[in-house]
Amino acid sequence: MNKELNIYNSDLLKNREEEVTMNYIIRLANENDLSGLCDIRNNKDLFTNYLKQLAKREIYLAIAEQDSLIFGFGVLKLKGTLLPKLSDLNVKEDYRGNGIGSDLIRYRENIAKSLGYSEIFVSVDPIENPKMIKLISKHGYKPISDPYFKKAIFYNDDGTTYNKTYKRIDLKKLLN
């Protein structure tokens, strides 16, 4: 699945006086994208690991870019529990509200469909990320669990890590 999906988004950029149409593509990441990904989240180890997993087809790492500027990414996990699973959606703040997150969701859903999956999952923190709950729900994901606690390693902007306990809720969507 190395083909690019050209997505032309006619939504207008928000927070601008003039009307600007946003045209961008969504495609799978490659090793040349490491620097651009680190501009979104300063974590070279994370993205290096993602690229290794991508090479083994354990994940798919999709990016949104315009004129070689990467401003969003999302992961489709194929290892672990509740598979396939949408993970780690991130769009630079200045580009949010333009449909990029939705396009990254659809792109990863299409990969899952092409791999023969009939359903797809996502886990979200309902307390710290209510916007993601709203976005995922808009795309037809329905809760399949009560909120539960989970411990994980989180990354600061400077790449350092810390442990955190947080709430999660699992959601599922049937792929047509």
Side-chain angles (χ1 to χ4, degrees), residues 121-173:
F121 300 89
V122 65
S123 297
V124 180
D125 183 331
I127 307 284
E128 292 191 16
N129 206 346
K131 288 181 180 179
M132 182 57 71
I133 295 286
K134 184 177 177 182
L135 177 62
I136 285 294
S137 297
K138 182 178 98 173
H139 284 274
Y141 288 77
K142 305 285 184 209
I144 59 168
S145 75
D146 290 326
Y148 59 91
F149 287 101
K150 185 173 180 173
K151 292 181 183 181
I153 297 173
F154 281 75
Y155 296 86
N156 293 309
D157 289 340
D158 65 3
T160 59
T161 62
Y162 62 97
N163 291 316
K164 182 177 176 181
T165 300
Y166 60 99
K167 271 199 173 174
R168 291 302 250 189
I169 187 168
D170 299 322
L171 300 99
K172 176 174 95 171
K173 176 182 178 177

Side-chain angles (χ1 to χ4, degrees), residues 77-85 121-123 148 150 170:
K77 291 184 175 184
L78 300 177
K79 281 186 78 176
T81 58
L82 298 176
L83 298 176
K85 188 177 206 175
F121 300 89
V122 65
S123 297
Y148 59 91
K150 185 173 180 173
D170 299 322

Side-chain angles (χ1 to χ4, degrees), residues 33-60:
D33 298 318
L34 187 57
S35 174
L37 287 163
C38 288
D39 287 344
I40 298 173
R41 182 183 295 155
N42 184 16
N43 192 332
K44 186 176 181 182
D45 291 342
L46 174 70
F47 291 116
T48 300
N49 188 43
Y50 277 165
L51 291 168
K52 287 178 185 173
Q53 290 176 299
L54 175 63
K56 294 189 261 180
R57 295 295 184 236
E58 295 172 350
I59 69 159
Y60 286 86

